[in-house]
Amino acid sequence: MSKYIRAKITENTPVNKGHNLLVLSSDNIQQHPLPGQFYMIGTDFSYDPLLKRPFSIFRETSSAEGGELQFLYRIKGKGTERMKEMKKGDTVNLFGPLGNGYPMPGKNFTPVLIAGGIGIASLFPLAEKLSGNIHFFYGARTSGELLMLNELKGLVKKELIISADDGSEGRKGTVVDALNVFLTSNPQLLTSNFLLYACGPSPMLEAVSKFAAEKGIKGYISMEENMACGVGACLGCAVKTKKGYKRVCKEGPVFEIGEIVW
Ligand SMILES: Cc1cc2nc3c(=O)[nH]c(=O)nc-3n(C[C@H](O)[C@H](O)[C@H](O)COP(=O)(O)OP(=O)(O)OC[C@H]3O[C@@H](n4cnc5c(N)ncnc54)[C@H](O)[C@@H]3O)c2cc1C
Ligand code: FES
């Protein structure tokens, strides 16, 4: 069940330029959220920005005594600029866990994870839950926007393919280009058991969805939409799907790959 939590910052440190790792602890964190779920986070006592912001759970440890939540965030605008200024010992308000997580693949499926930029925050816990028995494609515009590369190298047991649009790291081009090249040289993987999980910016998710439709690939995407309430009340996060409008915070953020109307 979702709940309001006041949590203490135990770490808020840069992982590279423009991205921080936020570690929060509270004796009120007693649930095991699912990979793909998120929390709304608000900086303490601040009315500017007024609204909490949604962040995927990157890592968690919890027990009856309480626990720790980790978030990986990109410093983008007012909310995350304010978050960046917060120090160890400060408190934040959070609400969650919210939304649905990624459905687990059946035993015989080959999970293939595709993350774009900060989308790694949502897919990393899924990779951990699947014990690294996955293929992982991770891309960003440039090398400086690729995060947790050493952790991924230690975790992923099958193919790990890194790409940067500008060629500054790994393969040159988008993450969808990298997937296409990989599948062209490994066509045997394209069976009915191939299952895609994607999270990243909207244009990437659109490209992944179109690619999946062309190849008849099944899977899930996690949508990033601006949110105000986070609990289904304001309709601010509604997206068009083949079954009408759905709220990313409530019916999502994870949707079946062919469900969204782009
Ligand atoms: C499910 C989900 C999970 C996410 N997980 C992560 C993650 O793990 N890491 C990460 O870095 N990012 C994540 N994001 C994106 C993250 O929420 C945004 O980057 C963050 O909200 C940016 O906030 P900002 O204030 O810094 O940026 P801004 O661009 O200033 O604000 C973000 C948006 O909030 C809206 N907004 C701002 N002020 C108001 C206002 N007064 N009234 C109404 N709307 C307003 C605007 O539409 C604005 O575009 C996730 C998003 C979703 C939906
Ligand atoms: S953010 Fe209000 S309905 Fe989703």
Short mmCIF file of all heavy atoms in Angstrom, two decimals, residues 38 51 53-56 72-74 76-81 118 121 223-227 253, ligand 1:
data_model
loop_
_atom_site.label_atom_id
_atom_site.label_comp_id
_atom_site.label_asym_id
_atom_site.label_seq_id
_atom_site.Cartn_x
_atom_site.Cartn_y
_atom_site.Cartn_z
N PHE A 38 7.33 3.77 -8.65
CA PHE A 38 7.98 5.05 -8.39
C PHE A 38 7.43 5.70 -7.12
O PHE A 38 6.39 5.28 -6.59
CB PHE A 38 7.80 5.99 -9.59
CG PHE A 38 6.39 6.42 -9.85
CD1 PHE A 38 5.91 7.63 -9.36
CD2 PHE A 38 5.52 5.62 -10.59
CE1 PHE A 38 4.59 8.03 -9.59
CE2 PHE A 38 4.20 6.02 -10.82
CZ PHE A 38 3.74 7.23 -10.32
N LEU A 51 4.74 21.12 -6.20
CA LEU A 51 4.38 19.73 -6.48
C LEU A 51 5.56 18.79 -6.33
O LEU A 51 6.69 19.14 -6.69
CB LEU A 51 3.83 19.63 -7.92
CG LEU A 51 2.59 20.47 -8.20
CD1 LEU A 51 2.33 20.54 -9.70
CD2 LEU A 51 1.39 19.90 -7.48
N ARG A 53 7.73 15.47 -7.35
CA ARG A 53 8.14 14.96 -8.66
C ARG A 53 8.27 13.43 -8.61
O ARG A 53 8.70 12.89 -7.59
CB ARG A 53 9.50 15.54 -9.07
CG ARG A 53 9.54 17.07 -9.11
CD ARG A 53 8.81 17.59 -10.33
NE ARG A 53 9.10 18.99 -10.56
CZ ARG A 53 8.25 19.98 -10.37
NH1 ARG A 53 7.03 19.74 -9.93
NH2 ARG A 53 8.58 21.22 -10.65
N PRO A 54 7.95 12.75 -9.72
CA PRO A 54 8.05 11.29 -9.70
C PRO A 54 9.46 10.77 -10.01
O PRO A 54 10.12 11.25 -10.93
CB PRO A 54 7.10 10.88 -10.85
CG PRO A 54 7.06 12.05 -11.77
CD PRO A 54 7.38 13.28 -10.97
N PHE A 55 9.90 9.78 -9.24
CA PHE A 55 11.21 9.15 -9.46
C PHE A 55 11.11 7.64 -9.27
O PHE A 55 10.52 7.18 -8.29
CB PHE A 55 12.28 9.72 -8.51
CG PHE A 55 12.53 11.18 -8.78
CD1 PHE A 55 11.86 12.14 -8.05
CD2 PHE A 55 13.41 11.57 -9.78
CE1 PHE A 55 12.04 13.50 -8.33
CE2 PHE A 55 13.60 12.92 -10.05
CZ PHE A 55 12.91 13.88 -9.33
N SER A 56 11.71 6.91 -10.18
CA SER A 56 11.72 5.45 -10.10
C SER A 56 12.59 4.99 -8.95
O SER A 56 13.61 5.62 -8.66
CB SER A 56 12.32 4.85 -11.38
OG SER A 56 11.68 5.36 -12.50
N LEU A 72 18.11 7.57 -8.53
CA LEU A 72 19.12 8.14 -9.40
C LEU A 72 18.42 9.23 -10.19
O LEU A 72 17.40 8.95 -10.82
CB LEU A 72 19.57 7.01 -10.34
CG LEU A 72 20.87 7.11 -11.09
CD1 LEU A 72 22.04 7.32 -10.15
CD2 LEU A 72 21.07 5.82 -11.89
N TYR A 73 18.91 10.47 -10.11
CA TYR A 73 18.14 11.52 -10.80
C TYR A 73 19.01 12.45 -11.64
O TYR A 73 20.16 12.72 -11.33
CB TYR A 73 17.26 12.30 -9.84
CG TYR A 73 17.99 13.16 -8.82
CD1 TYR A 73 18.22 14.52 -9.06
CD2 TYR A 73 18.42 12.62 -7.63
CE1 TYR A 73 18.86 15.32 -8.12
CE2 TYR A 73 19.07 13.40 -6.68
CZ TYR A 73 19.28 14.75 -6.93
OH TYR A 73 19.93 15.53 -6.01
N ARG A 74 18.36 12.90 -12.71
CA ARG A 74 18.98 13.87 -13.61
C ARG A 74 18.56 15.26 -13.18
O ARG A 74 17.36 15.50 -12.96
CB ARG A 74 18.51 13.61 -15.05
CG ARG A 74 19.09 14.56 -16.07
CD ARG A 74 18.93 13.97 -17.45
NE ARG A 74 17.60 14.19 -17.99
CZ ARG A 74 17.27 15.21 -18.77
NH1 ARG A 74 18.17 16.10 -19.14
NH2 ARG A 74 16.04 15.34 -19.23
N LYS A 76 17.34 18.56 -13.86
CA LYS A 76 16.68 19.02 -15.08
C LYS A 76 16.11 20.42 -14.95
O LYS A 76 16.34 21.28 -15.78
CB LYS A 76 15.55 18.03 -15.40
CG LYS A 76 14.85 18.31 -16.70
CD LYS A 76 13.69 17.36 -16.89
CE LYS A 76 12.84 17.85 -18.04
NZ LYS A 76 11.41 17.67 -17.79
N GLY A 77 15.33 20.66 -13.89
CA GLY A 77 14.64 21.94 -13.72
C GLY A 77 14.56 22.31 -12.25
O GLY A 77 15.38 21.87 -11.45
N LYS A 78 13.53 23.08 -11.92
CA LYS A 78 13.40 23.63 -10.57
C LYS A 78 13.43 22.57 -9.45
O LYS A 78 14.16 22.71 -8.47
CB LYS A 78 12.07 24.38 -10.51
CG LYS A 78 12.13 25.67 -9.75
CD LYS A 78 10.80 26.35 -9.85
CE LYS A 78 10.96 27.84 -9.69
NZ LYS A 78 9.70 28.55 -9.76
N GLY A 79 12.62 21.52 -9.64
CA GLY A 79 12.50 20.51 -8.59
C GLY A 79 13.81 19.79 -8.32
O GLY A 79 14.22 19.62 -7.18
N THR A 80 14.45 19.36 -9.39
CA THR A 80 15.69 18.58 -9.22
C THR A 80 16.87 19.50 -8.87
O THR A 80 17.80 19.05 -8.21
CB THR A 80 15.98 17.73 -10.47
OG1 THR A 80 15.77 18.52 -11.63
CG2 THR A 80 15.09 16.51 -10.52
N GLU A 81 16.81 20.76 -9.26
CA GLU A 81 17.85 21.73 -8.82
C GLU A 81 17.78 21.87 -7.30
O GLU A 81 18.79 21.88 -6.61
CB GLU A 81 17.62 23.11 -9.46
CG GLU A 81 18.13 23.25 -10.89
CD GLU A 81 19.65 23.24 -11.00
OE1 GLU A 81 20.33 23.40 -9.98
OE2 GLU A 81 20.14 23.04 -12.12
N ILE A 118 18.49 8.38 -18.39
CA ILE A 118 18.12 8.16 -16.98
C ILE A 118 17.12 7.00 -16.84
O ILE A 118 16.84 6.55 -15.72
CB ILE A 118 17.59 9.47 -16.34
CG1 ILE A 118 17.48 9.36 -14.81
CG2 ILE A 118 16.28 9.93 -16.97
CD1 ILE A 118 18.78 9.19 -14.11
N ALA A 121 17.50 4.09 -14.35
CA ALA A 121 17.06 4.06 -12.95
C ALA A 121 15.89 3.09 -12.76
O ALA A 121 15.77 2.43 -11.74
CB ALA A 121 16.65 5.46 -12.49
N MET A 223 6.54 4.64 -19.28
CA MET A 223 6.37 6.00 -19.81
C MET A 223 6.80 7.05 -18.79
O MET A 223 6.55 6.92 -17.60
CB MET A 223 4.90 6.26 -20.13
CG MET A 223 4.32 5.35 -21.18
SD MET A 223 4.90 5.77 -22.82
CE MET A 223 4.02 7.29 -23.11
N GLU A 224 7.42 8.11 -19.29
CA GLU A 224 7.75 9.26 -18.43
C GLU A 224 6.86 10.42 -18.83
O GLU A 224 6.96 10.92 -19.95
CB GLU A 224 9.21 9.65 -18.60
CG GLU A 224 10.11 8.78 -17.79
CD GLU A 224 11.47 9.39 -17.54
OE1 GLU A 224 11.67 10.57 -17.90
OE2 GLU A 224 12.32 8.67 -17.01
N GLU A 225 5.97 10.78 -17.96
CA GLU A 225 5.05 11.88 -18.26
C GLU A 225 5.09 12.85 -17.08
O GLU A 225 5.30 12.42 -15.94
CB GLU A 225 3.65 11.27 -18.44
CG GLU A 225 2.63 12.07 -19.19
CD GLU A 225 3.10 12.61 -20.54
OE1 GLU A 225 3.59 11.83 -21.38
OE2 GLU A 225 2.96 13.83 -20.72
N ASN A 226 4.90 14.15 -17.33
CA ASN A 226 4.86 15.10 -16.20
C ASN A 226 3.66 14.75 -15.32
O ASN A 226 2.60 14.41 -15.82
CB ASN A 226 4.70 16.53 -16.71
CG ASN A 226 5.95 16.98 -17.44
OD1 ASN A 226 7.06 16.59 -17.07
ND2 ASN A 226 5.78 17.78 -18.47
N MET A 227 3.88 14.84 -14.02
CA MET A 227 2.81 14.47 -13.09
C MET A 227 2.57 15.58 -12.07
O MET A 227 3.52 16.25 -11.67
CB MET A 227 3.19 13.21 -12.32
CG MET A 227 3.16 11.98 -13.20
SD MET A 227 3.52 10.52 -12.25
CE MET A 227 3.48 9.31 -13.56
N PRO A 253 3.23 3.31 -14.65
CA PRO A 253 3.86 3.82 -15.85
C PRO A 253 4.21 2.74 -16.87
O PRO A 253 4.58 3.04 -17.98
CB PRO A 253 5.13 4.49 -15.31
CG PRO A 253 5.47 3.73 -14.08
CD PRO A 253 4.15 3.33 -13.47
C1 LIG B 1 7.14 7.28 -13.49
C2 LIG B 1 8.30 8.24 -13.65
C3 LIG B 1 9.54 7.87 -13.15
C4 LIG B 1 10.62 8.76 -13.28
N1 LIG B 1 11.81 8.37 -12.78
C5 LIG B 1 12.86 9.21 -12.86
C6 LIG B 1 14.11 8.83 -12.29
O1 LIG B 1 14.27 7.76 -11.71
N2 LIG B 1 15.13 9.72 -12.40
C7 LIG B 1 14.98 10.93 -13.03
O2 LIG B 1 15.94 11.69 -13.11
N3 LIG B 1 13.81 11.30 -13.57
C8 LIG B 1 12.75 10.47 -13.49
N4 LIG B 1 11.55 10.86 -14.01
C9 LIG B 1 11.46 12.20 -14.60
C10 LIG B 1 11.40 13.23 -13.48
O3 LIG B 1 10.17 13.10 -12.79
C11 LIG B 1 11.53 14.64 -14.05
O4 LIG B 1 12.80 14.77 -14.63
C12 LIG B 1 11.34 15.65 -12.94
O5 LIG B 1 9.98 15.73 -12.62
C13 LIG B 1 11.87 17.00 -13.37
O6 LIG B 1 11.49 17.94 -12.41
P1 LIG B 1 12.11 19.38 -12.41
O7 LIG B 1 11.29 20.23 -11.52
O8 LIG B 1 13.56 19.31 -12.12
O9 LIG B 1 11.98 19.81 -13.92
P2 LIG B 1 10.96 20.83 -14.57
O10 LIG B 1 11.14 20.66 -16.02
O11 LIG B 1 11.12 22.18 -13.98
O12 LIG B 1 9.56 20.27 -14.13
C14 LIG B 1 9.09 19.03 -14.60
C15 LIG B 1 7.69 19.18 -15.08
O13 LIG B 1 6.82 19.34 -13.98
C16 LIG B 1 5.79 20.18 -14.37
N5 LIG B 1 5.65 21.29 -13.47
C17 LIG B 1 6.64 22.04 -12.98
N6 LIG B 1 6.10 22.97 -12.19
C18 LIG B 1 4.77 22.80 -12.23
C19 LIG B 1 3.68 23.43 -11.64
N7 LIG B 1 3.85 24.46 -10.83
N8 LIG B 1 2.43 22.97 -11.91
C20 LIG B 1 2.24 21.90 -12.70
N9 LIG B 1 3.23 21.24 -13.29
C21 LIG B 1 4.48 21.70 -13.05
C22 LIG B 1 6.07 20.77 -15.70
O14 LIG B 1 5.17 20.24 -16.63
C23 LIG B 1 7.48 20.38 -15.96
O15 LIG B 1 7.69 20.08 -17.30
C24 LIG B 1 10.46 10.00 -13.92
C25 LIG B 1 9.21 10.37 -14.41
C26 LIG B 1 8.14 9.49 -14.28
C27 LIG B 1 6.81 9.87 -14.81
#
